């Protein structure tokens, strides 16, 4: 049983401690720095923070190669600092989710070192071995072009070990009950230190059978129930938000028929089709994706997002659709990655066009789910394509016009701060945007506030209204006798739409604009006529017909 469904109407902000704020001047962000920025985060209105991995790590995959699950990397601070941080969040009503990376460890983890050196080690069976190189060793790599194999020979072990990701990330044998017990222990540990749950990394791989001779590894879905049950036994409000880029017809396996498995999953299906809609102005595949992922238990929730810390994975689109998105948003091969994705930030993909940025964010915020915002996107940060692979979109937060964008006093930051061109910190930073009432930052703050005030989106049922245009999405949410209507024009052309909207009673309805004064009354035929400017959007509350009239009388 879940005692508190806080995540149904939350706004999550994801950040990496390493690149957010450096307090001690060593060039690497830290918990002390992050703590200084908690009022900023509370100010923009987010209700939860998702921290990328911060545990001790050789840092070969941005910390997704963990060498000790029970600690804080000394570059970021101490466990004491972590608890100060969760306490600081608690004081401000912010919840904390942390990454749970248990598909694999770093090869420097003591478990792996012991396992490879000692055939009788208790840890030997915590990993996945094969005496011979399996025939399918070159299939199933996650990072094509960079990673060649999923099996690598280890000299000390004299066997091959399995690694779904890079060769320095040996897979844990997650079917082993001892490994499962350890995963629960890890979760229990961080729960005690104040977190409200986990963003679970690479879930389809965690639950897949692993071994040398498997033709088609089956998913062990029930493992998810074990994790989730443990969480809620320990702490009723705790959740798992899964990274699971899977086909819609398996969604229910992940959520569980009665919501007994995962509370949340990122909606990758909708994400990819959302970018297709932004690139092509054809919203039909997006509508289809939203409908295809509509089935979920009442307690479950989608995580909606635009960009994250990885490449924008377009692997589920049809080839032609993917080419359309590449042509619009990543025309140069250096902008693309792994043959399936884009390694850019949102703002440069949309050519810094404020109308398109607002449209993209407004649409994402109003899709069924809980929005997850990537740090820096609230000020329209850019990317650095000179950095390797996904690092292009992981540069430090730009706080001010001070050297290194105010991120650090050190002249050698962990990753270079963007300091050239239109997206350099001199032009794109928090300090300037705070002072400017028309900045994207202040726009985002208003939108987040309004998003929280329309719980219909997080909780309600939705349906699409027929706006008679393939470039327009019109969605209505109903919850507890309240309704909102969100309309988005993905096209660069203005469009007039006419819509029939049901009111609370038979006399029709008025639409109260939640973001401006431009409300709507039905015309004689009972329909609403809305003129949407290029990339225009509207959020309306559906009210009784006499609502606006009454207001003007007052
Ligand atoms: C997930 C993370 C990614 C990481 C990979 C391996 O996909 O999002 O950044 O490289 O897992 O842990």
């Amino acid at each position: 049983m879940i005692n508190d469904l806080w995540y149904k109407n939350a706004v999550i902000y994801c950040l990496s401690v390493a690149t957010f704020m450096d307090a001690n001047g060593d060039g690497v962000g830290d918990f002390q720095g992050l703590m200084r920025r908690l009022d900023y985060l509370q100010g923009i209105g987010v209700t939860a923070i998702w921290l990328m991995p911060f545990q001790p790590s050789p840092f070969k995959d941005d910390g997704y190669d963990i060498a000790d699950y029970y600690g804080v990397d000394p570059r970021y601070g101490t466990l004491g600092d972590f608890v100060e941080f969760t306490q600081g969040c608690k004081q401000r009503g912010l919840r904390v989710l942390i990454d749970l990376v248990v598909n694999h460890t770093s090869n420097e983890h003591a478990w792996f070192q012991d396992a490879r050196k000692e055939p009788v080690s208790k840890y030997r069976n915590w990993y996945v071995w094969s005496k011979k190189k399996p025939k399918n060793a070159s299939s199933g790599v996650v990072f094509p072009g960079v990673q060649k194999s999923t099996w690598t020979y280890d000299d000390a072990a004299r066997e091959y070990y399995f690694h779904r990701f890079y060769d320095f990330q040996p897979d844990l044998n997650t079917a082993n009950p001892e490994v499962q017990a350890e995963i629960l222990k890890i979760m229990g540990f961080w729960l005690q230190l104040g977190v409200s749950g986990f963003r679970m990394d690479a879930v389809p791989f965690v639950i897949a059978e692993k071994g040398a001779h498997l033709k088609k590894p089956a998913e062990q879905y029930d493992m998810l129930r074990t994790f989730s049950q443990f969480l809620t036994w320990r702490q009723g409000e705790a959740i798992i938000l899964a990274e699971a880029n899977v086909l819609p017809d398996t969604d229910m396996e992940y959520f569980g028929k009665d919501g007994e498995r995962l509370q949340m999953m990122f909606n990758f299906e909708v994400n990819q089709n959302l970018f297709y809609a932004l690139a092509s102005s054809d919203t039909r595949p997006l509508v289809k994706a939203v409908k295809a992922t509509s089935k979920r238990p009442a307690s479950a929730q989608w995580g909606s997002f635009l960009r994250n810390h990885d490449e924008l994975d377009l692997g589920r689109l049809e080839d032609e659709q993917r080419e359309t998105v590449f042509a619009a948003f990543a025309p140069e091969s250096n902008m693309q990655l792994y043959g399936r994705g884009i390694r850019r930030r949102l703002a440069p993909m949309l050519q810094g066009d404020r109308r398109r940025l607002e449209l993209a964010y407004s649409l994402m915020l109003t899709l069924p789910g809980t929005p997850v915002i990537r740090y820096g996107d609230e000020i329209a940060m850019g990317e650095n394509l000179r950095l390797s692979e996904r690092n292009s979109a992981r540069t430090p937060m730009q706080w001010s016009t001070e050297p290194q964008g105010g991120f650090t006093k050190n002249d050698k930051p962990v990753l270079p701060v963007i300091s050239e061109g239109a997206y350099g910190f001199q032009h794109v930073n928090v300090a300037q945007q705070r002072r400017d009432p028309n900045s994207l930052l202040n726009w985002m703050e208003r939108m987040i506030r309004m998003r929280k005030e329309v719980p219909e989106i997080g909780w309600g049922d939705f349906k699409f209204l027929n706006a008679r245009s393939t470039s327009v999405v019109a969605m209505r949410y109903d919850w507890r006798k309240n309704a909102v209507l969100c309309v988005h024009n993905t096209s660069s052309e203005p469009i007039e739409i006419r819509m029939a909207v049901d009111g609370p009673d038979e006399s029709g309805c008025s639409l109260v604009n939640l973001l401006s004064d431009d409300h709507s009354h039905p015309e004689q035929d009972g329909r609403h006529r809305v003129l949407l400017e290029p990339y225009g959007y509207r959020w309306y509350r559906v009210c009784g017909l006499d609502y606006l009239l009454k207001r003007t009388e007052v």
Side-chain angles (χ1 to χ4, degrees):
M1 261 304 285
I2 297 154
N3 300 332
D4 183 345
L5 306 188
W6 61 271
Y7 54 91
K8 295 283 277 188
N9 200 44
V11 181
I12 302 174
Y13 185 94
C14 98
L15 69 92
S16 152
V17 181
T19 51
F20 203 59
M21 181 66 206
D22 172 24
N24 67 2
D26 66 353
V28 185
D30 42 43
F31 278 105
Q32 301 246 357
L34 172 54
M35 275 184 279
R36 289 190 198 160
R37 292 294 179 257
L38 287 184
D39 292 315
Y40 166 78
L41 295 177
Q42 189 192 26
I44 57 177
V46 301
T47 60
I49 300 173
W50 153 31
L51 290 188
M52 338 233 75
F54 52 81
Q55 290 84 353
S57 162
F59 219 65
K60 290 192 198 153
D61 181 18
D62 208 25
Y64 282 89
D65 45 335
I66 291 180
D68 173 10
Y69 288 98
Y70 300 101
V72 169
D73 193 289
R75 285 170 296 186
Y76 307 145
T78 63
L79 270 180
D81 292 324
F82 181 81
V83 172
E84 287 293 298
F85 159 73
T86 52
Q87 175 61 22
C89 289
K90 198 167 150 196
Q91 278 174 352
R92 292 167 179 84
L94 292 165
R95 285 194 162 79
V96 178
L97 302 176
I98 65 169
D99 242 287
L100 180 67
V101 189
V102 290
N103 177 64
H104 46 264
T105 66
S106 158
N107 58 352
E108 293 182 25
H109 196 294
W111 301 337
F112 187 69
Q113 286 304 324
D114 201 62
R116 60 192 281 264
K117 289 180 194 146
E118 303 289 337
V120 291
S121 160
K122 113 173 183 118
Y123 297 111
R124 186 76 164 198
N125 199 26
W126 283 37
Y127 293 88
V128 186
W129 303 96
S130 173
K131 291 209 164 37
K132 286 200 190 123
K133 187 169 189 173
K135 284 204 190 72
N136 58 2
S138 56
S139 66
V141 297
V142 175
F143 304 122
V146 188
Q147 176 197 0
K148 295 213 165 42
S149 167
T150 51
W151 290 89
T152 292
Y153 188 71
D154 183 87
D155 288 334
R158 297 183 179 198
E159 286 191 40
Y160 289 83
Y161 64 91
F162 177 63
H163 54 90
R164 173 59 75 175
F165 296 91
Y166 298 108
D167 58 4
F168 53 80
Q169 290 166 320
D171 265 48
L172 280 166
N173 178 8
T174 42
N176 179 341
E178 286 179 29
V179 172
Q180 283 188 24
E182 189 73 28
I183 295 174
L184 301 187
K185 203 194 266 185
I186 295 166
M187 294 200 291
F189 178 81
W190 293 104
L191 285 179
Q192 288 294 330
L193 299 189
V195 309
S196 297
F198 303 90
R199 177 265 187 194
M200 195 166 183
D201 190 53
V203 175
F205 302 130
V206 172
I207 63 170
E209 285 179 314
K210 305 181 188 193
H213 303 296
L214 295 165
K215 285 233 164 59
K216 207 177 167 291
E219 288 87 2
Q220 307 157 88
Y221 290 115
D222 221 36
M223 216 186 265
L224 300 174
R225 189 182 51 85
T226 315
F227 297 152
S228 166
Q229 213 171 41
F230 172 83
L231 268 193
T232 41
W233 282 339
R234 284 278 168 100
Q235 188 179 308
E237 57 145 41
I239 64 156
I240 292 177
L241 161 57
E243 182 206 23
N245 187 350
V246 294
L247 287 171
D249 59 8
T250 54
D251 291 343
M252 285 302 286
E253 300 283 6
Y254 283 84
F255 285 132
K257 201 159 56 57
D258 300 312
E260 73 280 13
R261 290 177 183 164
L262 298 171
Q263 291 83 5
M264 283 189 78
M265 285 211 274
F266 284 109
N267 199 332
F268 283 93
E269 183 75 15
V270 163
N271 175 261
Q272 311 193 10
N273 285 287
L274 171 55
F275 274 94
Y276 177 72
L278 296 174
S280 67
S281 304
D282 177 1
T283 64
R284 284 170 298 182
L286 172 63
V287 170
K288 212 169 136 198
V290 172
K291 286 183 179 163
T293 54
S294 64
K295 201 170 166 216
R296 58 179 148 97
S299 60
Q301 181 69 311
W302 285 113
S304 305
F305 64 108
L306 283 162
R307 289 291 290 113
N308 63 17
H309 64 296
D310 288 326
E311 80 285 4
L312 164 62
D313 187 342
L314 302 169
R316 299 210 178 283
L317 297 183
E318 288 164 17
D319 291 350
E320 219 174 289
Q321 294 176 325
R322 186 163 44 255
E323 287 313 316
T324 304
V325 184
F326 279 155
F329 298 144
E332 292 163 30
S333 60
N334 186 32
M335 298 169 169
Q336 302 170 11
L337 194 60
Y338 311 135
R340 60 168 183 247
I342 298 179
R343 59 188 205 107
R344 306 189 71 191
R345 280 264 193 179
L346 182 70
M349 286 195 329
L350 300 176
Q351 281 150 0
D353 185 333
R354 176 70 182 262
R355 299 169 307 168
R356 298 180 82 185
L357 282 169
E358 287 190 14
L359 187 263
Y361 257 104
S362 172
L363 186 50
M364 188 279 268
L365 287 167
T366 56
L367 288 172
T370 286
V372 184
I373 298 171
R374 167 109 171 111
Y375 84 88
D377 277 1
E378 75 273 31
I379 54 168
M381 265 172 59
E383 75 258 344
N384 179 352
L385 293 170
R386 284 189 295 250
L387 300 178
S388 65
E389 291 180 70
R390 293 161 288 160
N391 281 344
S392 48
R394 295 173 174 175
T395 60
M397 182 67 176
Q398 297 172 194
W399 293 106
S400 69
T401 53
E402 289 168 73
Q404 308 296 349
F407 160 69
T408 177
K409 297 226 178 312
N410 197 293
D411 54 12
K412 286 205 180 58
V414 57
L415 280 176
V417 178
I418 297 181
S419 57
E420 289 165 17
Y423 297 96
F425 69 84
Q426 301 87 341
H427 311 292
V428 175
N429 63 70
V430 171
Q432 278 177 350
Q433 294 199 22
R434 239 194 224 120
R435 294 187 196 109
D436 173 3
N438 295 317
S439 67
L440 187 69
L441 177 63
N442 279 312
W443 175 86
M444 190 75 86
E445 192 181 312
R446 289 194 297 277
M447 294 301 272
I448 291 174
R449 181 186 307 126
M450 190 49 77
R451 172 62 185 76
K452 290 192 292 191
E453 289 181 29
V454 281
E456 290 92 336
I457 300 175
W459 285 93
D461 295 325
F462 67 84
K463 64 178 181 201
F464 287 96
L465 301 195
N466 186 357
R468 295 194 175 74
S469 160
T470 54
S471 47
V472 173
V473 204
M475 286 186 87
R476 175 192 173 121
Y477 288 89
D478 282 89
W479 186 58
R480 294 193 174 162
K481 298 209 169 75
N482 287 311
V484 289
L485 174 63
C486 303
V487 188
H488 292 87
N489 173 18
T490 58
S491 144
S492 57
E493 301 291 326
I495 295 179
E496 185 181 270
I497 54 167
R498 283 167 180 275
M499 289 173 301
V501 187
D502 295 336
D505 51 49
E506 278 169 16
S507 58
C509 68
S510 45
L511 298 176
V512 176
N513 194 318
L514 293 171
L515 305 168
S516 79
D517 279 340
D518 136 45
H519 310 300
S520 170
H521 273 302
E523 310 222 304
Q524 297 234 306
D525 63 358
R527 289 174 187 272
H528 285 265
R529 188 164 63 111
V530 178
L531 181 63
L532 291 164
E533 56 279 15
Y535 307 116
Y537 57 91
R538 301 281 186 280
W539 296 16
Y540 295 115
R541 194 169 287 285
V542 180
C543 294
L545 195 52
D546 54 354
Y547 179 82
L548 287 172
L549 298 172
K550 264 200 248 147
R551 278 199 351 159
T552 32
E553 275 162 23
V554 173

